[in-house]
Amino acid sequence: MSLYTPDRLEPSDETDAHDIDETGAVDRAPGRPTVTVVVPAMNEAKNLPHVAARMPADIDEIVFVDGHSVDDTVAVARSLWPDAKFVTQSRKGKGNALACGFRVATSDIVVMIDADGSTDPAEIPLFVGALVAGADFAKGTRFADGGGSSDITFSRKLGNKALNAIVNLKFGAAFSDLCYGYNAFWRHHVQVMALPAVEATEAQWGDGFEIETLINVRVANAGLKITEVPSFEQDRIHGESNLNAVRDGLRVLRTIRSEQRTTATHLSPAPVPQG
């Protein structure tokens, strides 16, 4: 599969034949933007082979951010992506890991995914397509036609819906899935997010799972064009999530309350799924 052939159905750990020329190099469409995928991971050694098998063959750069894993996560990642950039996050938490990854990304487009197999790398072409079509920020949503989840619980769904309503009212946005972490954006918009400095030694607000809400609110507040992209969230394959619905839900609520509305935003409807 490639960046222009999204595949939601058939897992594959092989590059499609039409993506390879006679020298063995992966073809890249002339003039297309380059793409970096940032993969934050902590103790995800067993899940990484599945993630790698679903990754489009012509991704330009993988940035792998290790969260001080105590299993074979880094060794497995190096075997799967020997040409990737490897970073150890400077503090703890998903937010800090993403900030560390965004800092070293060099492509035109940055995609943020999870390492537990819940976000499908084969959907990356849908996000890239939304950006190429004119969006500044491609926001994954489980609640549009073509999206869904086999993982979200009823209580988390209700909580997400309530938080969505608060953000949409306060910031004039129209998010359908505030707390989903599968997103992509043009790299020059990182500055709008104003993420906590990675050099700080003390824990910072934005280091945890509230990062997704913080990014979404600040992107909306900046008036960037946001397009929602339908995405299907799978169950985590191995291990247990570090997410705590109550604790992290309260952190999300605090994030919403602390951010001030500065401008209206434009949110485009979700595109029709491809593939």
Side-chain angles (χ1 to χ4, degrees):
M1 76 187 76
S2 79
L3 284 171
Y4 294 97
T5 56
D7 178 5
R8 295 176 182 270
L9 301 177
E10 296 298 330
S12 172
D13 57 2
E14 297 178 357
T15 304
D16 291 344
H18 61 76
D19 290 330
I20 303 179
D21 64 23
E22 60 186 7
T23 69
V26 176
D27 290 339
R28 283 171 171 77
R32 77 156 174 84
T34 52
V35 177
T36 293
V37 179
V38 176
V39 186
M42 184 176 71
N43 301 329
E44 300 287 5
K46 292 182 178 180
N47 294 320
L48 294 179
H50 172 84
V51 176
R54 298 289 286 170
M55 192 73 70
D58 45 356
I59 294 296
D60 299 281
E61 181 179 65
I62 302 284
V63 174
F64 190 87
V65 186
D66 177 51
H68 308 281
S69 298
V70 295
D71 65 358
D72 294 330
T73 289
V74 174
V76 171
R78 288 188 182 279
S79 69
L80 295 168
W81 298 299
D83 296 325
K85 288 183 177 178
F86 287 86
V87 179
T88 300
Q89 67 178 97
S90 56
R91 295 186 296 277
K92 295 181 179 180
K94 184 178 182 180
N96 173 248
L98 288 172
C100 291
F102 295 168
R103 188 184 191 191
V104 301
T106 61
S107 296
D108 303 311
I109 289 172
V110 177
V111 183
M112 43 191 280
I113 68 171
D114 293 333
D116 59 6
S118 61
T119 53
D120 186 0
E123 294 178 348
I124 289 174
L126 298 173
F127 290 81
V128 172
L131 295 174
V132 171
D136 297 308
F137 189 85
K139 173 77 186 77
T141 176
R142 296 163 289 185
F143 305 122
D145 289 342
S149 175
S150 60
D151 178 65
I152 193 168
T153 62
F154 180 73
S155 60
R156 283 173 52 208
K157 187 175 181 179
L158 284 181
N160 189 40
K161 186 175 182 179
L163 293 169
N164 268 319
I166 296 170
V167 166
N168 291 342
L169 180 63
K170 181 175 180 178
F171 298 100
F175 291 118
S176 66
D177 197 358
L178 179 70
C179 300
Y180 191 43
Y182 199 169
N183 305 307
F185 51 89
W186 295 99
R187 183 169 58 91
H188 59 264
H189 290 313
V190 170
Q191 60 184 353
V192 167
M193 302 173 189
L195 302 180
V198 301
E199 297 88 357
T201 56
E202 300 285 332
Q204 304 290 307
W205 189 254
D207 279 356
F209 281 106
E210 71 276 6
I211 185 63
E212 288 140 5
T213 298
L214 186 147
I215 288 174
N216 294 334
V217 167
R218 291 182 179 175
V219 166
N221 231 1
L224 300 186
K225 182 177 180 181
I226 303 168
T227 295
E228 291 200 320
V229 177
S231 175
F232 191 90
E233 178 188 38
Q234 302 285 349
D235 290 321
R236 162 184 278 275
I237 302 172
H238 299 284
E240 296 182 359
S241 173
N242 293 311
L243 177 70
N244 181 291
V246 175
R247 178 196 63 206
D248 294 310
L250 290 174
R251 291 177 71 89
V252 168
L253 185 59
R254 177 181 167 187
T255 299
I256 295 169
R257 288 176 172 172
S258 66
E259 295 293 313
Q260 298 299 315
R261 180 174 180 175
T262 58
T263 185
T265 184
H266 175 70
L267 183 63
S268 300
V272 177
Q274 304 173 23

